[in-house]
Amino acid sequence: MHPPPDREQPLTEVGEHPAAAARTRVSALFRGVGGRPGVLVELVFLLLWFLLFARLDAAVGKDFAAATANALTLQSAEHAVHLDIERSANEWLAGNPVLAHLAVYLYRLYYVVVAGTLLWVFVRHAEVYRRVRRTMVAMMVLVLPVYWAVPMSPPRFALPGAVDLVARYDLLDQASWTSPTHYTAMPSMHVGWSLWCAYAAWSALRGARPRLALASWSFPLLMVAVVLTTANHYVLDIAGSVALLAVAIVTASLCARLAAGRRHAGAGRPARAVG
């Protein structure tokens, strides 16, 4: 007969002593385990980074004259190549209140999907977390100079007759969010972040579940329809979002290679003799 289990020292996991489990939890909080960074360290870093980005983002895109001139230039370019579909798309959605409500809900709450995607990759797919997080940070760094250099008035302000559907159906009743004081339409970060979500999901799932990985790209396609029909962005803003993600992926990859090269060089240096 087998001896009865020791009930005074329950194991947190099979084969793991409670003291070892506690050390593992502490390590996960500060140093990270399983290829993930420390939870608390990562949370503090991301929180401070998002606060800094929000502060810098609020400081750019204030030049009304430049934003209007840039919007007129962009409209002329779109008209020349027959891409100026924003007004007709906006008129169609304005005539469908139910769809307009749904579009505004997605426009306002998309950040929940962004946060959920980041958390899901951190918890379930540590092997790609650092890469997609680097890409997210690179997108933030790269977009701010564009907002500063090329302020852009969105279609809801710049197109005569455009209906500001977000202001009309805003579920959060935040009229100040849609006031004409922040001109940063190029590129669209609504589309940019939805593209990042698709990229993160595709990176995590393409090996084991390729069909589901491809399906993740439907989210940015839906967001494209939303920002166009709500008169928040131009077609070329969307093209700018695609370019932003592509450049961010390359930038994040180069940064990772440089960091790996420095670690390798540091590991290969001989230790200094003591004394």
Side-chain angles (χ1 to χ4, degrees):
M1 295 180 61
H2 296 284
D6 185 359
R7 297 186 181 276
E8 295 181 357
Q9 297 288 342
L11 301 182
T12 304
E13 295 181 4
V14 176
E16 185 175 11
H17 193 277
R23 288 194 297 270
T24 300
R25 287 193 291 269
V26 171
S27 180
L29 287 176
F30 294 98
R31 294 192 298 272
V33 294
R36 301 178 185 87
V39 175
L40 286 181
V41 174
E42 190 71 4
L43 183 62
V44 170
F45 166 75
L46 289 175
L47 180 60
L48 293 177
W49 180 254
F50 283 126
L51 289 174
L52 176 62
F53 175 78
R55 181 64 63 88
L56 294 175
D57 183 42
V60 299
K62 299 287 187 178
D63 192 336
F64 170 76
T68 301
N70 290 332
L72 291 174
T73 301
L74 185 142
Q75 291 174 41
S76 298
E78 288 193 345
H79 181 72
V81 292
H82 307 290
L83 290 178
D84 51 336
I85 62 173
E86 296 86 4
R87 184 184 287 107
S88 59
N90 178 247
E91 290 175 354
W92 175 83
L93 187 62
N96 294 272
V98 174
L99 291 178
H101 272 98
L102 294 175
V104 172
Y105 291 164
L106 181 59
Y107 184 84
R108 282 299 195 211
L109 297 178
Y110 82 103
Y111 63 87
V112 176
V113 180
V114 178
T117 300
L118 186 64
L119 178 62
W120 169 72
V121 175
F122 181 87
V123 173
R124 299 295 301 274
H125 297 278
E127 72 278 3
V128 300
Y129 174 76
R130 292 180 187 273
R131 171 154 47 93
V132 299
R133 190 252 281 144
R134 287 191 195 100
T135 303
M136 170 181 275
V137 172
M139 289 177 70
M140 294 180 180
V141 172
L142 292 168
V143 76
L144 288 173
V146 179
Y147 282 166
W148 175 78
V150 190
M152 184 75 66
S153 186
R156 56 193 167 95
F157 300 152
L159 287 179
V163 180
D164 191 345
L165 294 174
V166 174
R168 175 181 290 183
Y169 299 115
D170 195 351
L171 73 162
L172 299 178
D173 194 25
Q174 294 289 329
S176 61
W177 291 8
T178 57
S179 60
T181 58
H182 202 207
Y183 305 99
T184 55
M186 169 64 83
S188 166
M189 287 310 291
H190 276 75
V191 175
W193 291 134
S194 64
L195 283 167
W196 176 86
C197 288
Y199 168 69
W202 176 78
S203 298
L205 298 173
R206 60 178 175 171
R209 308 182 70 178
R211 291 185 179 179
L212 189 58
L214 288 175
S216 65
W217 295 100
S218 61
F219 179 49
L221 291 177
L222 182 60
M223 188 59 71
V224 166
V226 166
V227 299
L228 285 177
T229 55
T230 56
N232 276 282
H233 291 282
Y234 305 94
V235 172
L236 292 182
D237 294 342
I238 296 162
S241 302
V242 175
L244 174 65
L245 177 64
V247 175
I249 291 172
V250 173
T251 301
S253 177
L254 290 176
C255 290
R257 291 181 182 179
L258 289 174
R262 286 195 297 268
R263 288 194 300 268
H264 180 72
R269 293 172 185 168
R272 295 182 178 180
V274 179

